[in-house]
């Protein structure tokens, strides 16, 4: 029985289609626990040591990239939650930093998810012929079944 579903999203059309597929599954299984998850693609070594910032005009205007990512993350979560809320559902949200595919799989493993639903392509500029590199890697590394939501 599927009880916990992880829906990674980057805000792309395909990833939001995966959220819509999760809503359909929630209609079939009202007790389903869904978590919307996003990953900021920051090299782990840099993230751990906080060796990154964005500057638009010198040190006075420099801000940590965390602030930039926080804004983006809130937009991604809002788009996903709007889809679920339109169907009368809600979900948990969470995020991580690092390699997207690895973080998705690690998170699914650490939190005991029964299913991952994701789009076949994201917003990265590099797309595979059939599925994107993140989706392909998640399929290979996932600790649970993966549903690719065709978009």
């Amino acid at each position: 029985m599927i009880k916990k579903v992880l829906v990674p999203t980057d805000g792309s059309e395909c990833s939001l289609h995966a959220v819509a597929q999760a809503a359909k599954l929630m209609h079939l299984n009202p007790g389903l626990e869904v978590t919307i998850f996003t990953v900021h693609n920051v090299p782990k070594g840099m993230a751990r040591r906080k060796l990154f910032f964005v500057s638009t005009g010198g040190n006075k205007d420099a801000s940590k990239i965390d602030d930039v990512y926080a804004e983006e993350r809130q937009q991604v979560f809002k788009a996903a939650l709007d889809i679920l809320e339109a169907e009368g559902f809600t979900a948990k949200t969470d995020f991580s930093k690092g390699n997207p595919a690895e973080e998705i799989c690690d998170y699914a493993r650490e939190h005991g998810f029964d299913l991952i639903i994701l789009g076949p392509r994201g917003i990265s500029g590099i797309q595979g012929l059939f599925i994107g590199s993140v989706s392909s890697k998640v399929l290979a590394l996932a600790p649970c079944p993966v549903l690719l939501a065709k978009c």
Side-chain angles (χ1 to χ4, degrees):
M1 176 69 122
I2 297 172
K3 295 179 182 176
K4 290 178 70 173
V5 175
L6 181 63
V7 185
T9 180
D10 58 7
S12 67
E13 182 180 337
C14 285
S15 71
L16 293 177
H17 184 70
V19 174
Q21 294 304 308
K24 288 180 182 179
L25 195 57
M26 293 172 91
H27 279 291
L28 297 173
N29 184 357
L32 192 64
E33 180 184 314
V34 172
T35 299
I36 305 298
F37 185 68
T38 193
V39 180
H40 303 300
N41 195 357
V42 175
K44 277 190 176 187
M46 291 179 72
R48 255 187 255 115
R49 294 178 292 171
K50 299 187 186 277
L51 294 176
F52 48 90
F53 63 91
V54 175
S55 178
T56 57
N59 290 336
K60 180 181 173 193
D61 296 328
S63 63
K64 288 185 179 178
I65 201 164
D66 281 340
D67 298 337
V68 175
Y69 281 146
E71 289 178 31
E72 179 183 315
R73 180 172 61 247
Q74 291 311 312
Q75 292 172 0
V76 168
F77 287 157
K78 181 181 180 337
L81 292 173
D82 284 352
I83 291 168
L84 294 177
E85 289 169 1
E87 297 291 326
F89 300 112
T90 190
K92 297 177 182 180
T93 59
D94 206 351
F95 73 98
S96 187
K97 297 175 196 153
N99 176 286
E102 292 172 8
E103 292 299 317
I104 290 165
C105 293
D106 288 349
Y107 190 86
R109 186 176 299 103
E110 290 166 10
H111 293 88
F113 283 92
D114 303 308
L115 178 68
I116 299 170
I117 303 176
L118 74 161
R121 289 181 304 280
I123 58 173
S124 68
I126 301 171
Q127 294 181 355
L129 291 174
F130 301 104
I131 61 173
S133 59
V134 171
S135 301
S136 178
K137 196 168 182 182
V138 169
L139 282 169
L141 300 176
C144 60
V146 176
L147 180 118
L148 285 181
K150 187 175 178 180
C151 56

